[in-house]
Amino acid sequence: MMTFNRLVKGLTLVALLCASPLVTVAQASNHEEITIAYFLEWPTPNQIAQLEKTYDKELGVKVNWKSFGSGNDMSAAMASGDVQISYSQGLIPFIVAVSKGLPITMVGIAVGYAGADNCIVHNDAKLDRSSAAAV
């Protein structure tokens, strides 16, 4: 029987492997350490790996964790270079950042909220259910 901690460690490793393109960028840039943004008030499996320094061991660099109050704050920290990875940044803040030209890449979605993560399109786009597949 799988224990909760073992399940969390497994899920964290999967998330870490999904983030490997960002890891490659950090290592290729010869970072001696990286900073990962996260929500302190939003418990996620990565926080166990954070306490056990799993990311440090797997990435081969010192990992600093910085808590943020919003995904937009995470985007600003990424834009300034203070943060290299944002964990659970949020879909909407990610879309806002990319639409403003921030060169970031999404490697996974931690949590989805079907009732809140909606796509809003201006009427001039002439998009509806019948034409959405063409986009």
Side-chain angles (χ1 to χ4, degrees), residues 43-104:
T44 51
N46 68 299
Q47 290 172 334
I48 291 175
Q50 175 186 351
L51 291 173
E52 295 180 354
K53 302 211 177 281
T54 303
Y55 286 88
D56 302 61
K57 294 171 195 164
E58 295 297 324
L59 298 175
V61 296
K62 181 180 185 316
V63 177
N64 303 304
W65 293 83
K66 181 169 172 68
S67 64
F68 284 83
S70 76
N72 291 330
D73 292 342
M74 289 180 184
S75 296
M78 290 184 79
S80 73
D82 292 340
V83 167
Q84 290 71 48
I85 298 174
S86 290
Y87 192 95
S88 291
Q89 175 186 22
L91 179 60
I92 302 305
F94 172 80
I95 291 170
V96 169
V98 169
S99 68
K100 289 183 176 182
L102 186 61
I104 59 176

